[in-house]
Amino acid sequence: MNQNRNPGGASALSSDLPQDISALKAQIETLTAEKKAAEAKVIHLRACEDPAKGVFHNQEIFQAQQDKLRLDTEIVIRRNKIRRIELGME
């Protein structure tokens, strides 16, 4: 009754895993660098503000913070995917 769901067998699946995991880890590194850049941009924009002169960067700061949050989420998604692969759930 229980049919084999993986016609290629476990060896075909395990041969693809290191490539998938290494690709995900590379993406995490790239996303982490982008996140650090977004954080640095927020710090820079806040330092450049001058309320006395009416210089504000509200929209740019908000956008950089949104980017940072998006990148955080993308990193978590990839880490979770690595865990699922390692546990054999994918």
Side-chain angles (χ1 to χ4, degrees):
M1 289 183 107
N2 191 359
Q3 300 271 330
N4 186 0
R5 292 182 181 177
N6 186 4
S11 62
L13 180 63
S14 63
S15 66
D16 292 339
L17 290 182
Q19 295 171 349
D20 291 340
I21 290 174
S22 63
L24 289 167
K25 286 182 179 180
Q27 291 174 2
I28 288 172
E29 288 179 22
T30 301
L31 292 168
T32 301
E34 290 178 28
K35 178 183 153 190
K36 287 180 182 179
E39 290 170 342
K41 184 176 181 179
V42 169
I43 291 168
H44 173 72
L45 288 169
R46 285 186 176 152
C48 291
E49 287 188 324
D50 188 355
K53 294 181 181 177
V55 178
F56 298 100
H57 301 289
N58 298 345
Q59 192 63 34
E60 295 90 347
I61 291 170
F62 177 78
Q63 188 60 50
Q65 288 173 329
Q66 290 296 103
D67 288 342
K68 180 197 163 294
L69 291 173
R70 178 188 56 80
L71 293 164
D72 278 336
T73 302
E74 292 292 333
I75 291 167
V76 169
I77 289 169
R78 282 159 180 78
R79 284 184 183 148
N80 289 343
K81 185 164 180 96
I82 289 171
R83 285 190 199 112
R84 286 193 308 269
I85 290 171
E86 290 173 344
L87 292 172
M89 296 173 69
E90 284 192 17

